Amino acid sequence: DKVLAELIEPYEVRAAKLREFLEDVKPSLRYDIVPLADPYGPSITDPDLQCLVVSEETRRGGEAVNKKRLENGLPELALYEILLMKDPDHSQNEEEKISSSSLRQRLLGTLLRPPRQDPTLPSCPYVIGLTGGTGSGKTSIAKLLGQLGAFLIDADKLGHAVYVPGGPAYERVVAAFGAEIVNEDGTINRKVLGAKVFGNQERLKSLTDIVWPEMARMVKEQIREADAQG
């Protein structure tokens, strides 16, 4: 549940930085850095431990450690509580303490690294496929890309265009699914067609096998048109 979990550095990197920091603070101490596979780690099994450093928000965790130690027949640890520095510039959605979660929150929507030239990418036209569920922001992103000069191809509109009367897939769709899908004006009744295919994988595949190749052909035509326009 961490914000931008993908920006958390790998364990090996974090452990190395932690060791470097601790040795800078006091090189004479011995530091054992142990990866935790559970909430407790060696704190509830190591008889040589005497003290646990906690903060105000982790004190309850320290008390849970001592409860487990008593259950394991080990003496309680002294809980030494330290105060964490407050972030005077934190926003309403960020933690009050200085934390990496707040930093990652601030990085949302920012460019993490400069764009690089990639020789494997085509120079023109550069095709971006934009997809996502209902309400995910496809229309908004497409509008922004259009304002930046992109040539927009709406696959939903093409999907409807392929089986309008006279469209490239019209005759085959009617032949495959029957005259009952046709309205009085000759257009295909999408609700009737939908009722025939949705929930029936075989019929849905029959429809997509007719419609999708025609959509792909129309998309390629529009890409060529965009290329011609520069």
Side-chain angles (χ1 to χ4, degrees), residues 124-144:
C124 185
Y126 186 70
V127 182
I128 300 171
L130 189 60
T131 186
T134 302
S136 62
K138 299 186 297 295
T139 302
S140 298
I141 297 299
K143 186 176 180 181
L144 288 171

Side-chain angles (χ1 to χ4, degrees), residues 26-201:
K26 195 161 188 178
S28 60
L29 291 181
R30 190 194 79 194
Y31 301 101
D32 291 326
I33 299 175
V34 182
L36 300 182
D38 60 60
Y40 299 102
S43 65
I44 60 172
T45 57
D46 190 338
D48 295 329
L49 294 180
Q50 297 176 327
C51 175
L52 189 63
V53 179
V54 297
S55 66
E56 181 182 0
E57 67 176 11
T58 61
R59 171 170 277 280
R60 288 178 61 187
E63 292 168 352
V65 164
N66 275 336
K67 183 179 179 182
K68 285 285 188 182
R69 284 181 69 87
L70 291 175
E71 292 174 1
N72 292 338
L74 297 173
E76 288 187 329
L77 300 176
L79 299 182
Y80 182 80
E81 185 176 317
I82 59 170
L83 298 177
L84 297 179
M85 292 182 65
K86 306 296 183 183
D87 182 357
D89 301 316
H90 76 280
S91 72
Q92 186 176 0
N93 297 324
E94 296 173 345
E95 296 180 299
E96 186 180 18
K97 66 179 182 180
I98 296 176
S99 75
S100 58
S101 292
S102 294
L103 175 61
R104 291 193 297 277
Q105 183 85 33
R106 291 168 196 169
L107 287 173
L108 276 171
T110 63
L111 194 64
L112 300 180
R113 57 180 65 88
R116 58 184 174 81
Q117 294 297 321
D118 188 337
T120 64
L121 295 177
S123 56
C124 185
Y126 186 70
V127 182
I128 300 171
L130 189 60
T131 186
T134 302
S136 62
K138 299 186 297 295
T139 302
S140 298
I141 297 299
K143 186 176 180 181
L144 288 171
L145 290 171
Q147 291 170 354
L148 292 170
F151 184 101
L152 299 180
I153 301 171
D154 190 328
D156 282 342
K157 291 180 180 177
L158 294 184
H160 297 158
V162 294
Y163 54 74
V164 297
Y170 177 82
E171 297 291 345
R172 279 180 292 158
V173 170
V174 173
F177 295 97
E180 64 268 24
I181 68 169
V182 180
N183 292 317
E184 291 182 3
D185 62 359
T187 60
I188 289 177
N189 188 316
R190 291 171 55 204
K191 284 188 177 180
V192 175
L193 177 61
K196 280 177 170 284
V197 300
F198 291 118
N200 186 316
Q201 290 299 318

